[in-house]
Every structure is written in C-alpha cells, then in structure tokens.
C-alpha cells in the first residue's frame, strides 16, 4: 500500500562543478517533498550519472518513496550485475535521497529515524601536510587552531617529486586545502619508491609525537601502496608512537593478505575507502583483521547498506571511520554524520571542509564545534541544493593521479 502523497513523481540527476565536480540525485514526491543523494565517484562521475539517468530513474517513477529497503533490494538484485563502485554509488544516491524524503515527511532529523543519537557529537580529524617536517608541524598547529582534536599527518618523501597527500605547492594558510583530482582530459602522474617511504615515515611520526605530546590522536594513510610484508614492517616501526590508525596499508582486494600484517603489528588498521559492499569486508571483519571500517555512505550502497556493514563490524568490536574527504559532497557528508551519530560503534569521522563555492551550492545545517561534528536538527539530511548557484559551474573533467615506480611500472596510487 502506498502512503498518500509519497509516490515518486520526478527523479533528476544534477552534475555541476562548484569547487569540484559533484553528482547529486534529487527525488521529488507527488506532494513536493524533495530528497537528495550524493552520487559522486571521483574521476568517474559521468559513469554514475549515466547509470542513474538511463537505467535507475525510470524504475523509480511511480514507486512509493517510503519503501526504502524494497527499493534497495530492487536496485541491487534486480540489475543482475551486482556490486562494483558505479552500481553501489548509484544505489547509495537513491537510498540516501529516500531516507532524506522519509525524514522530511516525519519532520525529524534523519538520525532520529535511525534510532536517535548515541553520542553528543562526532570526533573529527583534520588533514595536516607538509613538504618537510617543519611545514608539517605548522600544518598540525593550524589544524589545532581550527579546533580539531585529531590529525592525519602526511609529508613529502625525499627523492620523490609528487606524493599523495602533499599539494604540489606549499599551502599559504597551513591548512590542507587541495583536491588531488586534477582538471584535464588525462590523469597526472606521480612517482613512488616504497623503500624510501618506509625509511622516512617513522621519523616524521616521531617528530610530530615529540612536538605535540602523547594525547593528540595521530593518523597516517599509506594509500594502498605497500605489499603485505612492507605494511607489516611499517606498522611495527610505528608502534612506539601510538597511532590512532594506519590507513590502507596494503590493497584489500586480497582480504587474506591482512592476516600477515595483523600477525606482525599491533598498530590499529583502517581499511575500506575503496570497498563497496559487505562482501568486500567478509574476511576482514570475521577474522578481526582490521579495527576501523573506512567506507563512505556514498560508495558502499547508502545508509541501508553501510549500516549493515557496521552492524556486522560491531559484533567484532570494529568501529567506524567513514571516508569524508571533499570528493564526498556536503550531501554525503551529512548522511555520514547522521549515521555516525546513531550507531553504537562509532570511531572517528574524517572531515575536510568544502570550499566556499561548494557551500554556496549546498546549504548545510551541520556544525563543527570544539573538534566535534553534529548533523543538526533540520528535518531530513539538513542540506539544500541551490540550483541557481550550481548551474553557474558546469561539469569539468578531472581525474585522480596515477602512480609509477622509478622504472616506469604502474603502481597503486
């Protein structure tokens, strides 16, 4: 039975580049209630936009917006070709938009429909970066001055021209404020040397810990670039400095490879930024090979799907650490905050502040105070899409970099 007024009458796929490219799904019911979903897949935005516009939108027209679980199963099982980042990002956009609709109809912030708040706020971490250690220390200070109480630290590596997490040009503000996806028709290339990196990083973390003391939670991202034995070596070498986590130490495509890492280090491990379903986590969670789930609401099938993953993780005392860089739109960031506020096994929330241009196109109600995020009390997600602003910024092609070893071999970026 369809609830009166809840039938979906319009589905729009909105592509714009206010600060960077975002894909937004807008669902409108026959009563005029609007729900938003984030469908942004960095560097493959138009693939998701086409999937939604050409295949998903026609299926949604006339459906009851309240039937979120049924719609999720229809889009997941009904396509026959399951999973993968394009499919799961498209499903996520629909799922989040429908949750937004339901909460707006209820007149409640979304987290209230997920069981209510389990905490008062969400501890967030900043990104600090530097071309050398003194610059990194300045960047950490800037993050603390902004109110952050936890910081991810990345630096350049001597001998390498370009490295993930470090802008090409030093920041004038000391704040990590760059988007790694470069505008243009082809990706830029970076270089890599694992041995140089493994020699360099422990000294960097030691210097930051010595400067800021034992209380500040420090995080570091290896960004999938190490083999399992290299990752094990890094984790062990960082144990004296008490990292909050070591992120994506090795590609998780082969889940069993984390067994080797786990055997050799007690440094907490965060995995999953590029994982898109519970099946990608099955071994990682069941064998307790990780400590934090890094998937985003946007790329793991939405609130419905990521909550299943996190409930599974909770059985093994594994916590959330949802991806929250600026390749997640303010819609996706808000969805993460609502979910994180409701679940019991919250860990920490990545938070990169969007540009002023992005925040003109997406009006938000979430807050950041004294190091903690809160999604706000506005009905639904608490985000409004401003057409007249977004339309001033048409789509611009952009790609994440690719990575090569010194001999020219393509490597994990």
């Amino acid at each position: 039975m369809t609830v009166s007024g809840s039938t979906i009458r319009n589905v729009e796929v909105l592509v714009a580049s206010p600060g960077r490219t975002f894909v937004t799904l807008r669902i409108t019911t026959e009563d005029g209630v609007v729900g938003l979903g984030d469908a942004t897949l960095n560097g493959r935005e138009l693939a998701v936009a086409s999937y939604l516009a050409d295949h998903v939108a026609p299926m949604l027209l006339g459906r009851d917006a309240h039937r979120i679980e049924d719609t999720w199963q229809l889009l997941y099982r009904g396509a026959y070709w399951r999973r993968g980042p394009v499919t799961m990002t498209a499903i996520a956009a629909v799922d989040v938009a429908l949750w937004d609709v339901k909460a707006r109809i209820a007149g409640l912030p979304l987290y209230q429909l997920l069981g209510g708040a389990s905490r008062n706020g969400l501890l967030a971490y900043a990104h600090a970066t530097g071309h050398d250690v003194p610059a990194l220390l300045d960047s950490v200070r800037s993050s603390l001055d902004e109110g952050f109480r936890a910081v991810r630290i990345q630096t350049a590596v001597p001998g390498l021209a370009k490295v993930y997490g470090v802008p090409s040009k030093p920041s004038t503000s000391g704040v990590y404020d760059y988007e790694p996806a470069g505008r243009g028709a082809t990706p830029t290339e970076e270089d890599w040397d694992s041995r140089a990196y493994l020699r360099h990083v422990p000294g960097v973390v030691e210097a930051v810990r010595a400067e800021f003391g034992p209380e500040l939670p420090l995080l570091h991202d290896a960004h999938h670039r190490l083999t399992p034995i290299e990752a094990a070596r890094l984790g062990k070498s960082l144990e004296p400095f008490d990292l909050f986590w070591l992120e994506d130490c090795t590609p998780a495509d082969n889940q069993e490879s984390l067994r080797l890492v786990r055997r050799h280090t007690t440094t907490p491990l965060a995995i999953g930024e590029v994982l898109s379903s519970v099946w990608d986590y099955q071994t990682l969670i069941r064998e307790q090979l990780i400590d934090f789930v890094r998937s985003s609401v946007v790329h793991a099938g939405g609130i419905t799907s990521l909550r299943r993953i996190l409930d599974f993780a909770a059985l093994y005392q594994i916590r959330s650490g949802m991806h929250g860089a600026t390749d997640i739109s303010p819609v996706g960031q808000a969805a993460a905050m609502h979910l994180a506020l409701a679940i019991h096994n919250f860990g920490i929330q990545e938070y990169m502040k969007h540009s002023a241009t992005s925040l003109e196109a997406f009006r938000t109600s979430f807050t950041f105070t004294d190091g903690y995020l809160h999604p706000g009390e506005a009905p639904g997600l608490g985000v409004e899409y401003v057409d007249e602003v977004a339309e001033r910024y048409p789509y611009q092609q952009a790609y994440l970099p690719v990575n090569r070893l010194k001999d020219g071999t393509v490597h994990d970026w």
Side-chain angles (χ1 to χ4, degrees), residues 23-40:
V23 180
T24 305
L25 184 72
R26 182 163 61 195
I27 291 176
T28 306
T29 71
E30 62 184 10
D31 275 356
V33 180
V34 172
L36 300 175
D38 183 5
T40 308

Side-chain angles (χ1 to χ4, degrees), residues 171-325:
S171 171
T172 57
S173 66
V175 177
Y176 184 96
D177 56 5
Y178 90 109
E179 165 59 57
R183 303 290 174 89
T186 57
T188 59
E189 292 193 358
E190 297 181 355
D191 54 352
W192 186 248
D193 182 337
S194 293
R195 295 185 71 241
Y197 167 78
L198 290 169
R199 290 193 301 270
H200 180 65
V201 168
V204 171
V205 180
E206 181 179 23
V208 176
R209 181 60 76 204
E211 180 71 15
F212 295 100
E215 295 300 321
L216 179 64
L218 298 178
L219 306 86
H220 178 71
D221 186 359
H223 221 247
H224 319 276
R225 296 178 174 193
L226 303 177
T227 65
I229 196 65
E230 290 169 342
R233 173 185 162 189
L234 178 61
K236 191 171 185 64
S237 69
L238 295 177
E239 285 176 10
F241 313 118
D242 187 27
L243 278 190
F244 186 91
W245 79 34
L246 173 61
E247 180 181 346
D248 288 329
C249 58
T250 191
D253 306 58
N254 175 15
Q255 297 181 45
E256 291 82 358
S257 69
L258 270 296
R259 293 171 182 159
L260 187 151
V261 182
R262 199 59 140 178
R263 282 199 299 270
H264 291 284
T265 182
T266 58
T267 295
L269 303 176
I271 292 285
E273 181 176 318
V274 299
L275 303 184
S276 59
S277 82
V278 70
W279 302 104
D280 298 323
Y281 283 101
Q282 191 173 20
T283 299
L284 297 175
I285 291 174
R286 189 180 61 242
E287 297 189 19
Q288 302 173 71
L289 301 179
I290 60 174
D291 301 280
F292 296 90
V293 168
R294 279 284 291 140
S295 285
S296 70
V297 170
V298 179
H299 303 134
I303 290 169
T304 297
S305 179
L306 186 53
R307 176 129 200 197
R308 287 196 188 101
I309 295 171
L310 292 171
D311 285 345
F312 178 33
L315 299 177
Y316 300 93
Q317 298 179 295
I318 296 168
R319 295 182 286 166
S320 73
M322 287 177 253
H323 178 62

Side-chain angles (χ1 to χ4, degrees), residues 16 32 42 48 83 93 165 183 196 218 237 316 334 378-379 391 395 403:
N42 206 349
V48 183
R83 302 195 295 277
R183 303 290 174 89
L218 298 178
S237 69
Y316 300 93
E391 288 168 0
Y395 168 73
N403 211 18

